[in-house]
Amino acid sequence: MGISIELEVNGASVSKEVEPRLLLAHLLREELGLTGTKIGCDTSQCGSCTILLDGQAVKSCTVLAVQADGGEITTIEGLANGEYHPVQQAFWDNHGLQCGFCTPGMIISCVDLLGTNPQPSEDEIRHGLEGNLCRCTGYHNIVRAVQDAAETMNG
Amino acid sequence: MYPSKFDYHRPSSVQEAVQILSSNPDAKILAGGHSLIPVMKLRLAAPAALVDIGRIDALQGISRSNGSLRIGACVTYHEIANSADVQAAAPALAEAAGQIGDRQVRYRGTIGGNLSHADPASDLPAAALALGATLHVTGPGGSRSVSASDFFVDLMMTALQPDEILTGVEVPVAQSGTGSAYVKWEHPASGYALCGAAAVVTRGASGSCTGASLCFNGVSSTAVAATAVAASLVGSDLSDATIESAVGDLSIPDATGDMFASAGYRQELAKVMGARALSTARDRA
Ligand SMILES: Cc1cc2nc3c(=O)[nH]c(=O)nc-3n(C[C@H](O)[C@H](O)[C@H](O)COP(=O)(O)OP(=O)(O)OC[C@H]3O[C@@H](n4cnc5c(N)ncnc54)[C@H](O)[C@@H]3O)c2cc1C
Ligand code: FES
Ligand code: FES
């Protein structure tokens, strides 16, 4: 049974007929070709699939595409606007990534965090990113990147 | 992994949802999906149909009237933790919601789903129990109210029938002299509670304790009330020493042990968490 859904993805309208069991992460990656969003686990823990749904960071592997019907989605591909988003630039400048697998989800979570708390303390940054796991960096440079992005965005 | 096939329903009223549930015995309610979708992805659950209650207006919103706070079943942890009304009227609930999972989980998970799922390590059951919450339920036969103390039956088992929906949670607004708190000792990897403690205390004009409750999740198969400890505090001065000695007598006979923590360890942890929750609640009373 296909269900018709409509979404706005990175500013563009999308209409699709989907199976109810289709996960939002699979819709984005496989049907819309937006492979920036990663799938890193089967247990809803790693956060590499994080996207913004109606402005809130959510794990797209744990949302059905039909649940997102009518929603507005931003993926990593939708952040740059001619130039890198300040959070993307700060990850670049501060070596906030190594293999890069966690990075799209991590950056989306940082955008969400800075949206609700523009000047987070180091502790608030670490807690704010609890839902995103990184196997490479040890997090220190990610924290520095968020602090740097906060400065740029507030400046 | 993706889930097995299922039919999807998105009713717009509680009545319609109940009707679909009654005529589809293999259907399951979908709220925030943050317990159900993970188990469906692992194929540990394969319901024939999902009834998505996420867009039913009657299940949204937080309102305050007649000395109580009513929280719709589909209100998220993010909304609860950040609600000035909940922070003021029931700090333990706001605190418990704010410590669930991570920020992504808190945007999606709902109070109704958390209480109905009744995972032993879920954070909201102990807070609901300690605060004396009333749960409103609607089924094919109409609506009924269940006290939190009757709601949690056993491991992931509640007083809900398969065709009943938890529609909302009513929590008494803290009167002056009453304070509450929730503290959690979490598993460092999963973030779930090895032990969570919720306490509510009331102090009379003289400062002595006129009412207390202390409840735990994570320690046994379902949220439990430490009634003897709470009763022993009534009439006391609620000093640190008094609290310390009261929780020293805590015994949770059916404490569970697993690969992460033995029953004995959880039992000891409960004493420490219990004392912290009680003293924080006292300072707020
Ligand atoms: C990474 C991660 C970390 C987590 N960490 C924690 C944590 O630290 N603490 C914690 O407490 N939880 C944690 N959870 C679980 C989370 O809180 C879930 O959101 C919650 O257990 C279920 O709520 P839901 O709204 O997502 O419900 P769903 O997953 O949609 O449903 C759960 C169950 O309840 C039933 N149900 C849902 N709503 C109703 C209703 N209104 N009436 C009747 N039945 C209903 C469903 O049929 C289903 O059986 C975590 C989850 C994840 C993915
Ligand atoms: S893929 Fe790991 S949380 Fe979504
Ligand atoms: S950079 Fe490799 S997982 Fe984070």
Side-chain angles (χ1 to χ4, degrees), chain A residues 1 3 19-21 23 26 41-45 47 50 53 56-59 61-64 66-70 109 112-113 116 128 130-132, chain B residues 1-10 30-35 37-38 41-43 50 52 55 78 101-108 186 189-190:
Chain A
M1 182 179 70
I3 297 199
E19 249 193 293
R21 64 172 166 169
L23 301 169
H26 289 134
C41 73
D42 269 335
T43 49
S44 307
Q45 283 170 312
T50 303
L53 173 58
Q56 299 182 325
V58 304
K59 295 175 179 173
C61 73
T62 313
V63 176
L64 301 172
V66 286
Q67 284 180 291
D69 187 12
S109 283
D112 179 83
L113 171 67
T116 53
E130 269 163 349
N132 294 79
Chain B
M1 278 275 276
Y2 45 85
S4 316
K5 287 188 183 209
F6 55 84
D7 291 333
Y8 176 76
H9 303 272
R10 192 195 289 155
L30 174 68
H34 271 52
S35 287
I37 295 176
K41 281 165 60 177
L42 297 172
R43 308 272 174 123
L50 289 188
D52 182 353
R55 300 197 190 198
H78 170 77
D102 50 56
R103 59 196 289 118
Q104 291 100 312
V105 171
R106 291 192 291 272
Y107 279 131
R108 298 294 298 176
E186 54 181 57
S190 76

Side-chain angles (χ1 to χ4, degrees), chain B residues 128-144:
Chain B
L129 206 54
L131 290 161
T134 303
L135 283 67
H136 298 295
V137 172
T138 299
S143 297
R144 63 189 179 108

Side-chain angles (χ1 to χ4, degrees), chain B residues 225-253:
Chain B
T227 36
V229 173
S232 76
L233 286 168
V234 175
S236 79
D237 60 358
L238 287 173
S239 66
D240 286 345
T242 311
I243 290 175
E244 218 45 59
S245 109
V247 295
D249 296 331
L250 174 71
S251 148
I252 302 177

Side-chain angles (χ1 to χ4, degrees), chain B residues 7-220:
Chain B
D7 291 333
Y8 176 76
H9 303 272
R10 192 195 289 155
S12 51
S13 72
V14 173
Q15 268 58 40
E16 198 188 328
V18 167
Q19 226 163 41
I20 301 170
L21 286 169
S22 326
S23 49
N24 294 274
D26 288 334
K28 264 203 156 295
I29 295 171
L30 174 68
H34 271 52
S35 287
L36 186 53
I37 295 176
V39 297
M40 288 175 66
K41 281 165 60 177
L42 297 172
R43 308 272 174 123
L44 297 171
L50 289 188
V51 182
D52 182 353
I53 59 170
R55 300 197 190 198
I56 299 177
D57 285 340
L59 304 180
Q60 319 294 334
I62 300 173
S63 57
R64 195 177 160 153
S65 65
N66 296 336
S68 70
L69 206 59
R70 192 214 173 259
I71 304 171
C74 286
V75 175
T76 63
Y77 314 139
H78 170 77
E79 293 172 87
I80 293 171
N82 291 289
S83 155
D85 272 337
V86 182
Q87 287 165 0
L93 188 62
E95 244 162 14
Q99 292 181 63
I100 293 176
D102 50 56
R103 59 196 289 118
Q104 291 100 312
V105 171
R106 291 192 291 272
Y107 279 131
R108 298 294 298 176
T110 68
I111 183 170
N114 197 288
L115 298 176
S116 307
H117 192 58
D119 188 299
S122 288
D123 289 300
L124 299 187
L129 206 54
L131 290 161
T134 303
L135 283 67
H136 298 295
V137 172
T138 299
S143 297
R144 63 189 179 108
S145 299
V146 187
S147 70
S149 52
D150 292 331
F151 188 77
F152 304 107
V153 178
D154 204 339
L155 185 80
M156 307 185 95
M157 195 188 284
T158 67
L160 284 171
Q161 297 300 311
D163 53 2
E164 282 186 318
I165 298 178
L166 173 60
T167 56
V169 180
E170 203 171 315
V171 183
V173 170
Q175 302 304 308
S176 70
T178 296
S180 72
Y182 179 80
V183 296
K184 172 180 184 179
W185 188 268
E186 54 181 57
H187 184 277
S190 76
Y192 274 96
L194 283 183
C195 170
V200 182
V201 298
T202 306
R203 312 186 81 167
S206 64
S208 69
C209 177
T210 56
S213 82
L214 177 63
C215 300
F216 296 98
N217 42 238
V219 181
S220 51

Side-chain angles (χ1 to χ4, degrees), chain A residues 87 109-129 142-154, chain B residues 103:
Chain A
V87 176
S109 283
C110 293
V111 170
D112 179 83
L113 171 67
L114 293 174
T116 53
N117 182 357
Q119 277 171 312
S121 65
E122 178 179 339
D123 204 43
E124 287 169 335
I125 294 170
R126 289 184 185 275
H127 273 292
L129 297 177
I142 292 177
V143 174
R144 286 189 192 114
V146 181
Q147 288 166 328
D148 186 17
E151 242 171 75
T152 315
M153 290 166 77
N154 294 323
Chain B
R103 59 196 289 118

